[in-house]
C-alpha cells in the first residue's frame, strides 16, 4: 500500500472538517479521510479488521482492472433469489 505524506494544508483541512475532505484537483475528484472516519463508516474497530478491509478494497480494484466484473443488475437478481 502506498503511504504518502500529507501536506500541512491537507492536515488542516482534515482537522477543520472532522476528518473528511473532498478534493477537486485539475478536474479529478478525491476523498481524503482520517482512519477514524474510515473505521466509523466501514465498521472496522481493530487494526486487523482495518487491514482486512483495505486488503479487500485493493483486491476488488485488482479484479476491476483484470476485467473480473459482473453487471450490477445480475448481482441484484441473484440476491433477490436468496
Amino acid at each position: 500500500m502506498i503511504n504518502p505524506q500529507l501536506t500541512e494544508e491537507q492536515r488542516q483541512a482534515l482537522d477543520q472538517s472532522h476528518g473528511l475532505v473532498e478534493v477537486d484537483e485539475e478536474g479529478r475528484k478525491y476523498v481524503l479521510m482520517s482512519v477514524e472516519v474510515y473505521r466509523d463508516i466501514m465498521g472496522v474497530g481493530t487494526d486487523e479488521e482495518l487491514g482486512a478491509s483495505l486488503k479487500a478494497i485493493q483486491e476488488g480494484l485488482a479484479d476491476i482492472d483484470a476485467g473480473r466484473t459482473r453487471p450490477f443488475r445480475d448481482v441484484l437478481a441473484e440476491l433477490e433469489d436468496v
Side-chain angles (χ1 to χ4, degrees), residues 22-66:
E22 180 182 343
V23 179
D24 189 343
E25 182 178 278
E26 298 176 16
R28 297 183 72 181
K29 292 191 177 199
Y30 303 90
V31 173
L32 179 64
M33 70 178 77
S34 68
V35 169
E36 293 79 16
V37 169
Y38 180 84
R39 284 180 190 249
D40 188 46
I41 290 171
M42 299 302 290
V44 293
T46 66
D47 288 344
E48 184 177 285
E49 291 172 328
L50 175 63
S53 175
L54 295 174
K55 182 179 178 192
I57 290 170
Q58 289 172 332
E59 290 171 355
L61 293 171
D63 284 342
I64 292 169
D65 288 343

